[in-house]
Structures are given as C-alpha cells and as structure tokens.
Amino acid sequence: MKINHVFFLSIIVALTTGCTPKKTTDKKLHEPVADLFDVSLKPFYHGVASGDPLQDRVILWTRVTPDDSVSEISVRWEIASDENFSSIVKSDSLKTDPLRDYTVKVDVDGLQPNQHYYYRFHALGKTSQTGRTKTLSADALDSLKLAIVSCSNWEFGYFNAYNIIAGKEVDAVVHLGDYIYEYATGKYGDTTIGRIHLPKHEIISLQDYRTRYSQYHLDEGLRKVELRHPFITIWDDHEVANNVYTSGAQNHQPEEGDFNQRKAAAKQAYYEWLPIREGNKHYRSFTFGKLADLIMLDERLEGRTVQADSVTDPNFESDKRSMLGAEQLQWFENSLKNSKAAWKIIGNQVLFSDLDITGMYKNGMPKNLDAWDGYPAEKKRLEQFILQSKIENLIFVSGDTHASWAIETMMDNKDKSKKKQAIAVEFGTTSISSGNGNEGNPEDSVKAKEVKLMKLNPHVKYVNNRDHGYLLLTLYPQHAKAEWFYVETLRTIDNKEILGKKYTVEKDKYILQ
C-alpha cells in the first residue's frame, strides 16, 4: 500500500500537528478537472483566497488535492504582516477530509484594522502561493474602493476582468452572484472558445456542484484576483438553478429529483468552496469605518416566493409575495435606520429601480418579474420606509442583468400631478463573461434597444448591454464615483481594458453627473 508523506515544517510542527494522513487507500482520487491542473501549484491547484473581512478578522481558504483518496489531511496555515513571513501574527493547524471536499477554511481573529496581511498554507510536503488580504477600517477613511462583479460563465470565455482587478489596488471585491452556472455543456455558452463545462450534464448532486466550483477556480484570472484581494460574496440564482426561489426554480424539473436536496447540495458546495463565514445568516453587513456600510442581501433563498407569470396575475400585488422574507426585511430596515456611515451601499442581486421594458423582448412583459419590479408590494414598503425614515446617501449596486446601469432610483408617487422623487441611485455591473445582448444579436440592434430603453425610462442615465467587465465604485466623504471598465476579449487570456463610462453623485443628492 502506497503511503503519502507530508511536509514537516519542523520537528515541533510534526509533533503538534500529526501531519501524516490517518490512512490511505490504493484508490486513486478521481478529479474530473485534473486535465486543467497547473502542476506547478500541486497540491494547491485551486490557489488560495480570503473573504468576509471585518475589522479584526478574515476568512482564509484553500483546497488541498491529494493524489490518492485519503481520509484526512493535516494542514498548517500562517498569517503575517509582511510578505516574507518574518513577522508571523498567527499560525495553527487543522485537518480537512473528503466530507469537506478537501477544502480548508479558517476564521482568523485578533487582527488589526485597515491592514494588509499575507497568508499561506502547508500540506502534503508543499507550500501554497502567498495570498494577500486586508481588514476593514475602524476609523474615518479618505476613500474606499470596491470592485463590483457578477455573472462569470466558464463556457462564455476567460475571466479576464478578474485578472485585471488583481492588478489594481482595491479594498475588496464584491461579488453579487452567479459565481458559477448550472447548465449542461452547450445550453448557455459559447463552446467554440474551447471551454467546456464539467460535468457535461446539468449539475444537480453535491458532487456535480463541487466539480463545477473546482473547475471555475482553475481559471487563471479568478485564481489571481482571489490571491490579491478579499472577496465579499452573495449568491444569486445560478449557484442553484435559474430563477431560483425558496421552494423551487425555473430550471428545476420533477424528473431532476427533490428540489430541497438539490438546494442543500448547492449551498453546501458554495460554503465549502468560497471564503465566506459559516454558521450565520447569508445576508450580512460590513462596516468600512465611518465612510460606508455595505449591506449584502439574500434575494433568492432566504424568503423569495415564486415569481409571478404576469403583471395581470390577481395576486401580483399581494403583500404575501416577498423578495426578502419578513425576518430579512426587518433586519434590512433596521440596518438602514441604524447606520451611522456616510454612505449606505446595498449589495443587491437583481435591479431595484423601476424599469419599463414594454416592447423590448419577445415575451411582451412590461416588467422584469424576476427583479424587484416583480414584487411590487414589498418594494413599495421599502420605498416608503426609505422616504419616511429619511435614509440618505443610499446606493444600490446590482448584478444579474449582464448589463451596465446608472439609474436615479425614483419613487413613483400616487399623485401623478407631482414629480417622481429620487430616493437612491443604482449602479449595475455587467457580466464578467456571461452572455449579454450582442452575443446573440447584431450590435446595432442592441444599441438601438439601449436608446429605446432610455427613452422609456428617463431616470436611466446609462445602459450598456454589449460589453463585459466590472464596476469600480470609489467612495469619498463628499461624493461617490462609479466607473465601468470593459475587457477587449473573452476568447483568449488578455489584460487589456477600456474605461467605458464614469458617473459621480454628490453627497445628499441623487443626481448622476
């Protein structure tokens, strides 16, 4: 029987960590994505990552891939204030096993606010790449820079925007969902690029979801950005299935088995493979000193009821239909009311602002019923709360649509003789790679639709449904700046980008300039 020997940092480490796996087998570990491995990173093929930073702690993550199926692997981690690890702040050992798909997650506390840290892992005789992370500030900040991203689809192309963000100085990367896609090969993508989903079928089981996360983590751009910046993530629908809600999904059929089992598998794989804190609610908030509060909402699995089929549905405006659920909605309102920060940033999966799409799409719907427009009663309650509670300097950052948006968010007064009142601004980020308008239509026709949509919606100041990239949101005490950067190609690994558009909003105003 072949024995796997592991790395001994020192005699003391060997005695205290027991670095040899408990037992081994003759069975080779089956890794469906093995052909994509960079052997120079063995056994840390998936890189390292950090996430959910707070003022005194951060999550560190990696995955250790053994050659053979072993019941347990000992892993040592270190975090230091310098890249050379001459000043190690903390270190310890833990174990991982097949029950966690050999992933490793550490919640490191006792850190200093607003400071960069460096971290690495040791296992199976090897040392991982050195990651860099950053804690949140406890004091006033001159500025805060967040990279806002969403919708990365392996089959549509390389995650070049991630690669570019890795080379920039940002305080955190905010991922608004669709970190993976559940579809089978060729169902939603561009297989001519040569990037084929694994497994090739639609993912349903725990092993399916694990394999898909494993594959996505092997994209060079994703590995690089997670190596350099902490992530703050929230799921949208494709982490489970298209247009998911608490008890079902558009892309889940009875022949695919029990939905709750599928949802549980999807959630387990998500928490295994992403650097996110476990054991609490998925919705949560982050405080960046006195400058900003970032409030991350769960608009899919916490309390969303099934989407309406039509605005003519007699129950369409019922207050029993919910996006957030009662508990999360109350938490959200309390978070807004209690915030002392200069800016309130809402990590929002789907668009909040009103959007008239009459005549824009083949289904003929005047509203996107999967967005906040599809839940009018709860949306009106929130609008009234924002207005009556005098919540100021509110910015929604939204994903899902694969398009860029700059919107002055208006509250529709019942008195049509009065002007609509702005209660926030909304910045939507385009997709990292998922298909947008011109993937299936001529560019000129997509541009014409953008013009038509802005005429229908004067509060929409900018829309781009053609380019892929990310949103860079920079906050200052007196104004906020939104910049949309677009990559040149998805078909090859490339780090060229252009600045597509820029808007600013002054403090205490909701006018985009």
Side-chain angles (χ1 to χ4, degrees), residues 40 48 55 67 69 182 214 231 307 315 318 382 443 492 503:
S40 69
V48 301
Q55 294 170 2
D67 290 332
S69 297
E182 84 279 13
S214 176
F231 265 56
Q307 297 88 341
N315 295 316
S318 169
L382 266 174
E443 184 130 338
T492 58
Y503 274 95

Side-chain angles (χ1 to χ4, degrees), residues 70-142:
V70 295
S71 62
E72 194 172 82
I73 300 174
S74 291
V75 184
R76 186 163 183 83
W77 59 268
E78 300 170 316
I79 188 166
S81 57
D82 68 303
E83 201 166 3
N84 297 320
F85 290 84
S86 59
S87 299
I88 294 177
V89 176
K90 277 197 167 186
S91 63
D92 205 348
S93 298
L94 73 164
K95 299 181 186 299
T96 188
D97 55 41
L99 295 178
R100 287 199 58 85
D101 201 20
Y102 297 112
T103 59
V104 176
K105 193 183 290 188
V106 186
D107 195 350
V108 183
D109 61 6
L111 305 178
Q112 295 299 309
N114 198 30
Q115 183 171 326
H116 280 109
Y117 287 93
Y118 301 86
Y119 62 96
R120 64 188 178 187
F121 298 87
H122 308 279
L124 302 180
K126 300 289 185 178
T127 300
S128 72
Q129 294 174 289
T130 295
R132 187 187 73 158
T133 190
K134 188 179 183 182
T135 51
L136 306 189
S137 175
D139 301 316
L141 291 170
D142 294 331

Side-chain angles (χ1 to χ4, degrees), residues 216-352:
Y216 274 53
H217 273 82
L218 296 173
D219 178 89
E220 180 180 312
L222 180 54
R223 280 205 312 264
K224 284 184 176 179
V225 73
E226 289 190 321
L227 189 72
R228 295 296 292 169
H229 305 304
F231 265 56
I232 298 172
T233 67
I234 202 84
W235 52 46
D236 194 19
D237 53 343
H238 292 288
E239 285 87 350
V240 183
N242 185 54
N243 285 5
V244 73
Y245 50 98
T246 55
S247 59
Q250 177 274 329
N251 195 30
H252 182 81
Q253 286 70 48
E255 62 269 20
E256 292 174 324
D258 180 75
F259 173 75
N260 287 327
Q261 290 182 10
R262 181 180 187 176
K263 182 172 71 171
K267 290 173 70 173
Q268 180 176 335
Y270 183 96
Y271 281 110
E272 287 172 347
W273 278 88
L274 269 68
I276 180 174
R277 196 164 279 108
E278 298 182 36
N280 299 310
K281 289 288 189 180
H282 192 64
Y283 57 87
R284 59 213 192 279
S285 62
F286 300 84
T287 296
F288 294 83
K290 298 177 181 178
L291 186 57
D293 282 341
L294 171 64
I295 301 170
M296 302 291 283
L297 299 178
D298 178 1
E299 296 167 357
R300 290 295 179 182
L301 302 184
E302 178 64 28
R304 182 193 276 247
T305 55
V306 63
Q307 297 88 341
D309 292 327
S310 169
V311 295
T312 61
D313 186 318
N315 295 316
F316 180 63
E317 296 200 23
S318 169
D319 58 8
K320 293 183 173 59
R321 301 187 61 255
S322 177
M323 174 73 81
L324 301 179
E327 183 180 328
Q328 183 181 194
L329 178 59
Q330 188 64 59
W331 172 86
F332 181 31
E333 290 177 345
N334 290 340
S335 297
L336 289 175
K337 197 168 186 177
N338 295 331
S339 174
K340 305 300 182 185
W343 298 95
K344 274 71 74 176
I345 313 301
I346 312 305
N348 187 51
Q349 287 95 82
V350 295
L351 284 177
F352 183 84

Side-chain angles (χ1 to χ4, degrees), residues 343-404:
W343 298 95
K344 274 71 74 176
I345 313 301
I346 312 305
N348 187 51
Q349 287 95 82
V350 295
L351 284 177
F352 183 84
S353 302
D354 291 347
L355 201 63
D356 183 353
I357 57 172
T358 302
M360 301 292 294
Y361 300 100
K362 291 180 181 179
N363 63 16
M365 287 294 177
K367 299 285 184 182
N368 177 2
L369 301 183
D370 188 52
W372 275 95
D373 273 346
Y375 297 82
E378 189 166 298
K379 180 177 176 178
K380 287 177 183 177
R381 169 177 162 168
L382 266 174
E383 290 174 340
Q384 289 285 352
F385 174 83
I386 292 167
L387 188 65
Q388 293 171 3
S389 301
K390 298 181 180 179
I391 307 298
E392 302 291 345
N393 304 308
L394 184 60
I395 298 176
F396 289 90
V397 289
S398 305
D400 183 66
T401 64
H402 311 173
S404 303

